[in-house]
PDB file of all heavy atoms in Angstrom:
ATOM      1  N   ASN A  64     -97.839 -43.784  13.209  1.00 89.00           N
ATOM      2  CA  ASN A  64     -98.048 -44.575  11.981  1.00 89.00           C
ATOM      3  C   ASN A  64     -99.411 -45.262  12.057  1.00 89.00           C
ATOM      4  O   ASN A  64    -100.140 -45.310  11.034  1.00 89.00           O
ATOM      5  CB  ASN A  64     -96.966 -45.624  11.886  1.00 89.00           C
ATOM      6  CG  ASN A  64     -96.958 -46.374  10.555  1.00 89.00           C
ATOM      7  OD1 ASN A  64     -96.578 -45.880   9.508  1.00 89.00           O
ATOM      8  ND2 ASN A  64     -97.484 -47.605  10.600  1.00 89.00           N
ATOM      9  N   GLN A  98     -95.593 -38.609   5.886  1.00 87.00           N
ATOM     10  CA  GLN A  98     -95.924 -38.443   4.468  1.00 87.00           C
ATOM     11  C   GLN A  98     -96.591 -39.715   4.019  1.00 87.00           C
ATOM     12  O   GLN A  98     -96.154 -40.809   4.333  1.00 87.00           O
ATOM     13  CB  GLN A  98     -94.653 -38.196   3.697  1.00 87.00           C
ATOM     14  CG  GLN A  98     -94.858 -37.945   2.165  1.00 87.00           C
ATOM     15  CD  GLN A  98     -93.645 -37.924   1.396  1.00 87.00           C
ATOM     16  OE1 GLN A  98     -93.144 -38.933   0.940  1.00 87.00           O
ATOM     17  NE2 GLN A  98     -93.060 -36.699   1.189  1.00 87.00           N
ATOM     18  N   ARG A 100     -97.917 -41.713   0.472  1.00 87.00           N
ATOM     19  CA  ARG A 100     -97.889 -41.815  -0.957  1.00 87.00           C
ATOM     20  C   ARG A 100     -98.803 -42.954  -1.399  1.00 87.00           C
ATOM     21  O   ARG A 100     -98.856 -43.989  -0.726  1.00 87.00           O
ATOM     22  CB  ARG A 100     -96.441 -42.063  -1.497  1.00 87.00           C
ATOM     23  CG  ARG A 100     -95.509 -40.846  -1.343  1.00 87.00           C
ATOM     24  CD  ARG A 100     -94.110 -41.228  -1.756  1.00 87.00           C
ATOM     25  NE  ARG A 100     -93.250 -40.114  -1.647  1.00 87.00           N
ATOM     26  CZ  ARG A 100     -92.946 -39.247  -2.674  1.00 87.00           C
ATOM     27  NH1 ARG A 100     -93.501 -39.450  -3.920  1.00 87.00           N
ATOM     28  NH2 ARG A 100     -92.168 -38.213  -2.484  1.00 87.00           N
ATOM     29  N   ASN A 101     -99.482 -42.771  -2.508  1.00 84.00           N
ATOM     30  CA  ASN A 101    -100.378 -43.799  -3.075  1.00 84.00           C
ATOM     31  C   ASN A 101     -99.576 -44.808  -3.908  1.00 84.00           C
ATOM     32  O   ASN A 101     -98.317 -44.639  -4.042  1.00 84.00           O
ATOM     33  CB  ASN A 101    -101.498 -43.236  -3.815  1.00 84.00           C
ATOM     34  CG  ASN A 101    -101.076 -42.315  -4.989  1.00 84.00           C
ATOM     35  OD1 ASN A 101     -99.916 -42.470  -5.501  1.00 84.00           O
ATOM     36  ND2 ASN A 101    -101.912 -41.490  -5.449  1.00 84.00           N
ATOM     37  N   GLN A 102    -100.217 -45.764  -4.485  1.00 79.00           N
ATOM     38  CA  GLN A 102     -99.483 -46.830  -5.232  1.00 79.00           C
ATOM     39  C   GLN A 102     -98.876 -46.312  -6.493  1.00 79.00           C
ATOM     40  O   GLN A 102     -97.992 -46.970  -7.053  1.00 79.00           O
ATOM     41  CB  GLN A 102    -100.459 -47.957  -5.546  1.00 79.00           C
ATOM     42  CG  GLN A 102    -101.670 -47.530  -6.311  1.00 79.00           C
ATOM     43  CD  GLN A 102    -102.715 -48.678  -6.359  1.00 79.00           C
ATOM     44  OE1 GLN A 102    -102.467 -49.821  -5.796  1.00 79.00           O
ATOM     45  NE2 GLN A 102    -103.828 -48.435  -7.029  1.00 79.00           N
ATOM     46  N   GLY A 104     -97.117 -43.605  -6.391  1.00 82.00           N
ATOM     47  CA  GLY A 104     -96.011 -42.866  -5.922  1.00 82.00           C
ATOM     48  C   GLY A 104     -96.281 -41.352  -5.734  1.00 82.00           C
ATOM     49  O   GLY A 104     -95.372 -40.592  -5.402  1.00 82.00           O
ATOM     50  N   VAL A 118     -85.694 -38.666   1.692  1.00 87.00           N
ATOM     51  CA  VAL A 118     -85.247 -39.929   2.192  1.00 87.00           C
ATOM     52  C   VAL A 118     -86.120 -41.097   1.770  1.00 87.00           C
ATOM     53  O   VAL A 118     -85.916 -42.189   2.214  1.00 87.00           O
ATOM     54  CB  VAL A 118     -85.182 -39.886   3.771  1.00 87.00           C
ATOM     55  CG1 VAL A 118     -84.124 -38.886   4.228  1.00 87.00           C
ATOM     56  CG2 VAL A 118     -86.554 -39.522   4.340  1.00 87.00           C
ATOM     57  N   LYS A 119     -87.025 -40.830   0.826  1.00 83.00           N
ATOM     58  CA  LYS A 119     -87.958 -41.886   0.427  1.00 83.00           C
ATOM     59  C   LYS A 119     -87.189 -43.118  -0.146  1.00 83.00           C
ATOM     60  O   LYS A 119     -87.513 -44.276   0.135  1.00 83.00           O
ATOM     61  CB  LYS A 119     -88.955 -41.347  -0.624  1.00 83.00           C
ATOM     62  CG  LYS A 119     -89.939 -42.419  -1.137  1.00 83.00           C
ATOM     63  CD  LYS A 119     -90.832 -41.875  -2.151  1.00 83.00           C
ATOM     64  CE  LYS A 119     -90.112 -41.626  -3.473  1.00 83.00           C
ATOM     65  NZ  LYS A 119     -89.761 -42.900  -4.116  1.00 83.00           N
ATOM     66  N   ASP A 120     -86.132 -42.813  -0.958  1.00 84.00           N
ATOM     67  CA  ASP A 120     -85.467 -43.948  -1.590  1.00 84.00           C
ATOM     68  C   ASP A 120     -84.333 -44.568  -0.720  1.00 84.00           C
ATOM     69  O   ASP A 120     -83.870 -45.607  -1.013  1.00 84.00           O
ATOM     70  CB  ASP A 120     -84.788 -43.433  -2.879  1.00 84.00           C
ATOM     71  CG  ASP A 120     -85.830 -42.901  -3.880  1.00 84.00           C
ATOM     72  OD1 ASP A 120     -86.900 -43.517  -3.914  1.00 84.00           O
ATOM     73  OD2 ASP A 120     -85.502 -41.969  -4.652  1.00 84.00           O
ATOM     74  N   SER A 121     -84.009 -43.830   0.365  1.00 86.00           N
ATOM     75  CA  SER A 121     -82.914 -44.381   1.226  1.00 86.00           C
ATOM     76  C   SER A 121     -83.477 -45.162   2.436  1.00 86.00           C
ATOM     77  O   SER A 121     -82.700 -45.936   3.031  1.00 86.00           O
ATOM     78  CB  SER A 121     -82.050 -43.218   1.764  1.00 86.00           C
ATOM     79  OG  SER A 121     -82.811 -42.328   2.499  1.00 86.00           O
ATOM     80  N   LEU A 122     -84.707 -45.010   2.731  1.00 86.00           N
ATOM     81  CA  LEU A 122     -85.347 -45.758   3.837  1.00 86.00           C
ATOM     82  C   LEU A 122     -85.770 -47.144   3.384  1.00 86.00           C
ATOM     83  O   LEU A 122     -86.318 -47.323   2.317  1.00 86.00           O
ATOM     84  CB  LEU A 122     -86.580 -45.029   4.384  1.00 86.00           C
ATOM     85  CG  LEU A 122     -86.276 -43.673   5.062  1.00 86.00           C
ATOM     86  CD1 LEU A 122     -87.633 -43.032   5.513  1.00 86.00           C
ATOM     87  CD2 LEU A 122     -85.317 -43.830   6.274  1.00 86.00           C
ATOM     88  N   ARG A 123     -85.453 -48.095   4.210  1.00 85.00           N
ATOM     89  CA  ARG A 123     -85.899 -49.506   3.923  1.00 85.00           C
ATOM     90  C   ARG A 123     -87.327 -49.674   4.483  1.00 85.00           C
ATOM     91  O   ARG A 123     -87.674 -49.222   5.539  1.00 85.00           O
ATOM     92  CB  ARG A 123     -84.923 -50.498   4.495  1.00 85.00           C
ATOM     93  CG  ARG A 123     -84.854 -50.504   5.996  1.00 85.00           C
ATOM     94  CD  ARG A 123     -83.926 -51.575   6.535  1.00 85.00           C
ATOM     95  NE  ARG A 123     -83.815 -51.564   7.979  1.00 85.00           N
ATOM     96  CZ  ARG A 123     -83.036 -50.837   8.713  1.00 85.00           C
ATOM     97  NH1 ARG A 123     -82.180 -49.998   8.078  1.00 85.00           N
ATOM     98  NH2 ARG A 123     -82.991 -50.903  10.011  1.00 85.00           N
ATOM     99  N   GLN A 124     -88.107 -50.473   3.705  1.00 86.00           N
ATOM    100  CA  GLN A 124     -89.476 -50.699   4.157  1.00 86.00           C
ATOM    101  C   GLN A 124     -89.503 -51.809   5.237  1.00 86.00           C
ATOM    102  O   GLN A 124     -88.799 -52.747   5.189  1.00 86.00           O
ATOM    103  CB  GLN A 124     -90.305 -51.191   2.951  1.00 86.00           C
ATOM    104  CG  GLN A 124     -90.433 -50.147   1.852  1.00 86.00           C
ATOM    105  CD  GLN A 124     -91.335 -50.628   0.726  1.00 86.00           C
ATOM    106  OE1 GLN A 124     -92.110 -51.591   0.836  1.00 86.00           O
ATOM    107  NE2 GLN A 124     -91.209 -49.988  -0.440  1.00 86.00           N
ATOM    108  N   VAL A 125     -90.392 -51.517   6.212  1.00 85.00           N
ATOM    109  CA  VAL A 125     -90.566 -52.458   7.318  1.00 85.00           C
ATOM    110  C   VAL A 125     -92.016 -52.771   7.520  1.00 85.00           C
ATOM    111  O   VAL A 125     -92.892 -51.959   7.053  1.00 85.00           O
ATOM    112  CB  VAL A 125     -89.967 -51.933   8.647  1.00 85.00           C
ATOM    113  CG1 VAL A 125     -88.464 -51.665   8.507  1.00 85.00           C
ATOM    114  CG2 VAL A 125     -90.663 -50.654   9.092  1.00 85.00           C
ATOM    115  N   THR A 126     -92.304 -53.864   8.130  1.00 80.00           N
ATOM    116  CA  THR A 126     -93.731 -54.222   8.403  1.00 80.00           C
ATOM    117  C   THR A 126     -94.058 -53.983   9.882  1.00 80.00           C
ATOM    118  O   THR A 126     -95.202 -53.609  10.159  1.00 80.00           O
ATOM    119  CB  THR A 126     -93.961 -55.703   8.084  1.00 80.00           C
ATOM    120  OG1 THR A 126     -93.010 -56.505   8.788  1.00 80.00           O
ATOM    121  CG2 THR A 126     -93.780 -55.945   6.584  1.00 80.00           C
ATOM    122  N   GLU A 127     -93.111 -54.133  10.775  1.00 82.00           N
ATOM    123  CA  GLU A 127     -93.353 -53.868  12.191  1.00 82.00           C
ATOM    124  C   GLU A 127     -92.280 -52.837  12.652  1.00 82.00           C
ATOM    125  O   GLU A 127     -91.107 -52.961  12.245  1.00 82.00           O
ATOM    126  CB  GLU A 127     -93.213 -55.155  12.985  1.00 82.00           C
ATOM    127  CG  GLU A 127     -94.328 -56.135  12.695  1.00 82.00           C
ATOM    128  CD  GLU A 127     -94.248 -57.358  13.640  1.00 82.00           C
ATOM    129  OE1 GLU A 127     -93.325 -57.359  14.461  1.00 82.00           O
ATOM    130  OE2 GLU A 127     -95.076 -58.249  13.477  1.00 82.00           O
ATOM    131  N   ILE A 128     -92.707 -51.959  13.500  1.00 87.00           N
ATOM    132  CA  ILE A 128     -91.767 -50.852  13.953  1.00 87.00           C
ATOM    133  C   ILE A 128     -91.168 -51.199  15.250  1.00 87.00           C
ATOM    134  O   ILE A 128     -91.865 -51.527  16.252  1.00 87.00           O
ATOM    135  CB  ILE A 128     -92.545 -49.543  14.040  1.00 87.00           C
ATOM    136  CG1 ILE A 128     -93.181 -49.149  12.665  1.00 87.00           C
ATOM    137  CG2 ILE A 128     -91.675 -48.411  14.556  1.00 87.00           C
ATOM    138  CD1 ILE A 128     -94.043 -47.902  12.724  1.00 87.00           C
ATOM    139  N   SER A 129     -89.887 -51.227  15.302  1.00 87.00           N
ATOM    140  CA  SER A 129     -89.089 -51.397  16.573  1.00 87.00           C
ATOM    141  C   SER A 129     -87.980 -50.448  16.601  1.00 87.00           C
ATOM    142  O   SER A 129     -87.660 -49.770  15.560  1.00 87.00           O
ATOM    143  CB  SER A 129     -88.624 -52.866  16.667  1.00 87.00           C
ATOM    144  OG  SER A 129     -87.695 -53.157  15.592  1.00 87.00           O
ATOM    145  N   GLY A 131     -84.804 -51.043  16.498  1.00 86.00           N
ATOM    146  CA  GLY A 131     -83.796 -51.397  15.538  1.00 86.00           C
ATOM    147  C   GLY A 131     -84.143 -51.040  14.096  1.00 86.00           C
ATOM    148  O   GLY A 131     -83.240 -50.989  13.290  1.00 86.00           O
ATOM    149  N   ASP A 132     -85.455 -50.802  13.827  1.00 85.00           N
ATOM    150  CA  ASP A 132     -85.851 -50.504  12.498  1.00 85.00           C
ATOM    151  C   ASP A 132     -85.791 -49.012  12.141  1.00 85.00           C
ATOM    152  O   ASP A 132     -85.823 -48.651  11.013  1.00 85.00           O
ATOM    153  CB  ASP A 132     -87.327 -50.952  12.250  1.00 85.00           C
ATOM    154  CG  ASP A 132     -87.459 -52.475  12.340  1.00 85.00           C
ATOM    155  OD1 ASP A 132     -86.514 -53.178  11.917  1.00 85.00           O
ATOM    156  OD2 ASP A 132     -88.494 -52.941  12.878  1.00 85.00           O
ATOM    157  N   LEU A 133     -85.660 -48.171  13.178  1.00 90.00           N
ATOM    158  CA  LEU A 133     -85.624 -46.746  12.955  1.00 90.00           C
ATOM    159  C   LEU A 133     -84.311 -46.338  12.311  1.00 90.00           C
ATOM    160  O   LEU A 133     -83.189 -46.846  12.660  1.00 90.00           O
ATOM    161  CB  LEU A 133     -85.861 -45.979  14.300  1.00 90.00           C
ATOM    162  CG  LEU A 133     -87.190 -46.248  15.027  1.00 90.00           C
ATOM    163  CD1 LEU A 133     -87.248 -45.363  16.270  1.00 90.00           C
ATOM    164  CD2 LEU A 133     -88.302 -45.948  14.096  1.00 90.00           C
ATOM    165  N   GLN A 134     -84.380 -45.372  11.417  1.00 89.00           N
ATOM    166  CA  GLN A 134     -83.213 -44.844  10.797  1.00 89.00           C
ATOM    167  C   GLN A 134     -83.135 -43.366  11.109  1.00 89.00           C
ATOM    168  O   GLN A 134     -84.081 -42.644  11.345  1.00 89.00           O
ATOM    169  CB  GLN A 134     -83.267 -45.034   9.255  1.00 89.00           C
ATOM    170  CG  GLN A 134     -83.210 -46.515   8.864  1.00 89.00           C
ATOM    171  CD  GLN A 134     -83.363 -46.684   7.349  1.00 89.00           C
ATOM    172  OE1 GLN A 134     -84.331 -47.132   6.895  1.00 89.00           O
ATOM    173  NE2 GLN A 134     -82.248 -46.327   6.686  1.00 89.00           N
ATOM    174  N   TRP A 136     -81.544 -39.492  10.059  1.00 89.00           N
ATOM    175  CA  TRP A 136     -80.978 -38.681   8.992  1.00 89.00           C
ATOM    176  C   TRP A 136     -81.067 -37.182   9.322  1.00 89.00           C
ATOM    177  O   TRP A 136     -81.775 -36.854  10.292  1.00 89.00           O
ATOM    178  CB  TRP A 136     -81.724 -38.961   7.636  1.00 89.00           C
ATOM    179  CG  TRP A 136     -83.178 -38.471   7.623  1.00 89.00           C
ATOM    180  CD1 TRP A 136     -83.601 -37.255   7.245  1.00 89.00           C
ATOM    181  CD2 TRP A 136     -84.351 -39.237   8.054  1.00 89.00           C
ATOM    182  NE1 TRP A 136     -84.990 -37.244   7.357  1.00 89.00           N
ATOM    183  CE2 TRP A 136     -85.466 -38.411   7.812  1.00 89.00           C
ATOM    184  CE3 TRP A 136     -84.549 -40.502   8.496  1.00 89.00           C
ATOM    185  CZ2 TRP A 136     -86.765 -38.779   8.083  1.00 89.00           C
ATOM    186  CZ3 TRP A 136     -85.826 -40.982   8.780  1.00 89.00           C
ATOM    187  CH2 TRP A 136     -86.902 -40.089   8.582  1.00 89.00           C
ATOM    188  N   GLY A 145     -86.868 -42.001  11.862  1.00 91.00           N
ATOM    189  CA  GLY A 145     -88.160 -42.424  11.372  1.00 91.00           C
ATOM    190  C   GLY A 145     -88.066 -43.770  10.641  1.00 91.00           C
ATOM    191  O   GLY A 145     -87.051 -44.454  10.664  1.00 91.00           O
ATOM    192  N   VAL A 146     -89.168 -44.068   9.924  1.00 91.00           N
ATOM    193  CA  VAL A 146     -89.299 -45.341   9.305  1.00 91.00           C
ATOM    194  C   VAL A 146     -90.253 -45.258   8.132  1.00 91.00           C
ATOM    195  O   VAL A 146     -91.135 -44.327   8.028  1.00 91.00           O
ATOM    196  CB  VAL A 146     -89.831 -46.386  10.342  1.00 91.00           C
ATOM    197  CG1 VAL A 146     -91.283 -46.135  10.685  1.00 91.00           C
ATOM    198  CG2 VAL A 146     -89.631 -47.808   9.815  1.00 91.00           C
ATOM    199  N   LEU A 147     -90.125 -46.193   7.181  1.00 92.00           N
ATOM    200  CA  LEU A 147     -90.996 -46.268   6.033  1.00 92.00           C
ATOM    201  C   LEU A 147     -91.738 -47.592   6.060  1.00 92.00           C
ATOM    202  O   LEU A 147     -91.134 -48.665   6.187  1.00 92.00           O
ATOM    203  CB  LEU A 147     -90.166 -46.193   4.724  1.00 92.00           C
ATOM    204  CG  LEU A 147     -90.905 -46.478   3.440  1.00 92.00           C
ATOM    205  CD1 LEU A 147     -92.008 -45.471   3.160  1.00 92.00           C
ATOM    206  CD2 LEU A 147     -89.927 -46.556   2.284  1.00 92.00           C
ATOM    207  N   THR A 148     -93.082 -47.513   6.024  1.00 90.00           N
ATOM    208  CA  THR A 148     -93.900 -48.726   6.088  1.00 90.00           C
ATOM    209  C   THR A 148     -94.721 -48.863   4.793  1.00 90.00           C
ATOM    210  O   THR A 148     -95.133 -47.880   4.233  1.00 90.00           O
ATOM    211  CB  THR A 148     -94.880 -48.751   7.288  1.00 90.00           C
ATOM    212  OG1 THR A 148     -95.737 -47.626   7.232  1.00 90.00           O
ATOM    213  CG2 THR A 148     -94.091 -48.690   8.607  1.00 90.00           C
ATOM    214  N   HIS A 149     -94.899 -50.126   4.400  1.00 88.00           N
ATOM    215  CA  HIS A 149     -95.779 -50.387   3.240  1.00 88.00           C
ATOM    216  C   HIS A 149     -97.095 -50.989   3.723  1.00 88.00           C
ATOM    217  O   HIS A 149     -97.080 -51.954   4.498  1.00 88.00           O
ATOM    218  CB  HIS A 149     -95.070 -51.402   2.294  1.00 88.00           C
ATOM    219  CG  HIS A 149     -95.902 -51.775   1.087  1.00 88.00           C
ATOM    220  ND1 HIS A 149     -96.769 -52.865   1.084  1.00 88.00           N
ATOM    221  CD2 HIS A 149     -96.017 -51.174  -0.138  1.00 88.00           C
ATOM    222  CE1 HIS A 149     -97.314 -52.914  -0.065  1.00 88.00           C
ATOM    223  NE2 HIS A 149     -96.919 -51.946  -0.837  1.00 88.00           N
ATOM    224  N   ASN A 150     -98.192 -50.397   3.287  1.00 85.00           N
ATOM    225  CA  ASN A 150     -99.532 -50.804   3.813  1.00 85.00           C
ATOM    226  C   ASN A 150    -100.463 -51.038   2.705  1.00 85.00           C
ATOM    227  O   ASN A 150    -100.554 -50.251   1.739  1.00 85.00           O
ATOM    228  CB  ASN A 150    -100.100 -49.695   4.718  1.00 85.00           C
ATOM    229  CG  ASN A 150     -99.048 -49.306   5.844  1.00 85.00           C
ATOM    230  OD1 ASN A 150     -99.011 -49.908   6.897  1.00 85.00           O
ATOM    231  ND2 ASN A 150     -98.322 -48.228   5.583  1.00 85.00           N
ATOM    232  N   THR A 151    -101.179 -52.127   2.722  1.00 84.00           N
ATOM    233  CA  THR A 151    -102.252 -52.416   1.766  1.00 84.00           C
ATOM    234  C   THR A 151    -103.583 -52.245   2.443  1.00 84.00           C
ATOM    235  O   THR A 151    -103.934 -53.009   3.403  1.00 84.00           O
ATOM    236  CB  THR A 151    -102.081 -53.893   1.230  1.00 84.00           C
ATOM    237  OG1 THR A 151    -100.768 -54.005   0.632  1.00 84.00           O
ATOM    238  CG2 THR A 151    -103.170 -54.175   0.199  1.00 84.00           C
ATOM    239  N   ASN A 156    -102.314 -49.728  -2.262  1.00 85.00           N
ATOM    240  CA  ASN A 156    -101.037 -49.702  -1.549  1.00 85.00           C
ATOM    241  C   ASN A 156    -100.598 -48.295  -1.217  1.00 85.00           C
ATOM    242  O   ASN A 156    -100.738 -47.400  -2.015  1.00 85.00           O
ATOM    243  CB  ASN A 156     -99.940 -50.361  -2.442  1.00 85.00           C
ATOM    244  CG  ASN A 156    -100.215 -51.825  -2.700  1.00 85.00           C
ATOM    245  OD1 ASN A 156    -100.638 -52.559  -1.822  1.00 85.00           O
ATOM    246  ND2 ASN A 156     -99.934 -52.287  -3.969  1.00 85.00           N
ATOM    247  N   TYR A 157    -100.137 -48.132   0.047  1.00 87.00           N
ATOM    248  CA  TYR A 157     -99.727 -46.842   0.508  1.00 87.00           C
ATOM    249  C   TYR A 157     -98.355 -46.968   1.150  1.00 87.00           C
ATOM    250  O   TYR A 157     -98.066 -47.936   1.841  1.00 87.00           O
ATOM    251  CB  TYR A 157    -100.729 -46.264   1.524  1.00 87.00           C
ATOM    252  CG  TYR A 157    -102.065 -45.915   0.974  1.00 87.00           C
ATOM    253  CD1 TYR A 157    -103.097 -46.808   1.059  1.00 87.00           C
ATOM    254  CD2 TYR A 157    -102.232 -44.642   0.430  1.00 87.00           C
ATOM    255  CE1 TYR A 157    -104.336 -46.453   0.550  1.00 87.00           C
ATOM    256  CE2 TYR A 157    -103.496 -44.337  -0.125  1.00 87.00           C
ATOM    257  CZ  TYR A 157    -104.562 -45.248  -0.022  1.00 87.00           C
ATOM    258  OH  TYR A 157    -105.794 -44.901  -0.529  1.00 87.00           O
ATOM    259  N   LEU A 158     -97.483 -46.019   0.891  1.00 89.00           N
ATOM    260  CA  LEU A 158     -96.223 -45.926   1.545  1.00 89.00           C
ATOM    261  C   LEU A 158     -96.324 -44.752   2.554  1.00 89.00           C
ATOM    262  O   LEU A 158     -96.712 -43.642   2.233  1.00 89.00           O
ATOM    263  CB  LEU A 158     -95.080 -45.615   0.601  1.00 89.00           C
ATOM    264  CG  LEU A 158     -94.694 -46.680  -0.405  1.00 89.00           C
ATOM    265  CD1 LEU A 158     -93.592 -46.215  -1.339  1.00 89.00           C
ATOM    266  CD2 LEU A 158     -94.253 -47.992   0.364  1.00 89.00           C
ATOM    267  N   VAL A 159     -95.985 -45.025   3.810  1.00 90.00           N
ATOM    268  CA  VAL A 159     -96.136 -44.032   4.865  1.00 90.00           C
ATOM    269  C   VAL A 159     -94.760 -43.805   5.515  1.00 90.00           C
ATOM    270  O   VAL A 159     -94.157 -44.790   6.042  1.00 90.00           O
ATOM    271  CB  VAL A 159     -97.141 -44.477   5.976  1.00 90.00           C
ATOM    272  CG1 VAL A 159     -97.210 -43.423   7.088  1.00 90.00           C
ATOM    273  CG2 VAL A 159     -98.507 -44.752   5.375  1.00 90.00           C
ATOM    274  N   ILE A 160     -94.261 -42.615   5.459  1.00 90.00           N
ATOM    275  CA  ILE A 160     -93.047 -42.211   6.055  1.00 90.00           C
ATOM    276  C   ILE A 160     -93.426 -41.480   7.353  1.00 90.00           C
ATOM    277  O   ILE A 160     -94.081 -40.481   7.331  1.00 90.00           O
ATOM    278  CB  ILE A 160     -92.146 -41.307   5.177  1.00 90.00           C
ATOM    279  CG1 ILE A 160     -91.783 -42.071   3.890  1.00 90.00           C
ATOM    280  CG2 ILE A 160     -90.859 -40.979   5.960  1.00 90.00           C
ATOM    281  CD1 ILE A 160     -91.012 -41.182   2.929  1.00 90.00           C
ATOM    282  N   THR A 161     -92.948 -42.006   8.475  1.00 90.00           N
ATOM    283  CA  THR A 161     -93.225 -41.435   9.745  1.00 90.00           C
ATOM    284  C   THR A 161     -91.873 -41.033  10.443  1.00 90.00           C
ATOM    285  O   THR A 161     -90.950 -41.815  10.485  1.00 90.00           O
ATOM    286  CB  THR A 161     -94.013 -42.359  10.724  1.00 90.00           C
ATOM    287  OG1 THR A 161     -95.099 -42.943   9.992  1.00 90.00           O
ATOM    288  CG2 THR A 161     -94.466 -41.653  11.912  1.00 90.00           C
TER     289      THR A 161
END
Side-chain angles (χ1 to χ4, degrees):
N64 189 77
Q98 181 190 87
R100 290 176 177 267
N101 57 22
Q102 55 190 1
V118 294
K119 180 182 72 70
D120 297 328
S121 60
L122 295 177
R123 63 179 182 272
Q124 297 183 17
V125 300
T126 55
E127 295 183 1
I128 300 176
S129 64
D132 296 323
L133 299 182
Q134 295 178 253
W136 68 89
V146 71
L147 170 65
T148 60
H149 179 270
N150 308 274
T151 302
N156 295 321
Y157 293 95
L158 292 178
V159 179
I160 301 177
T161 311

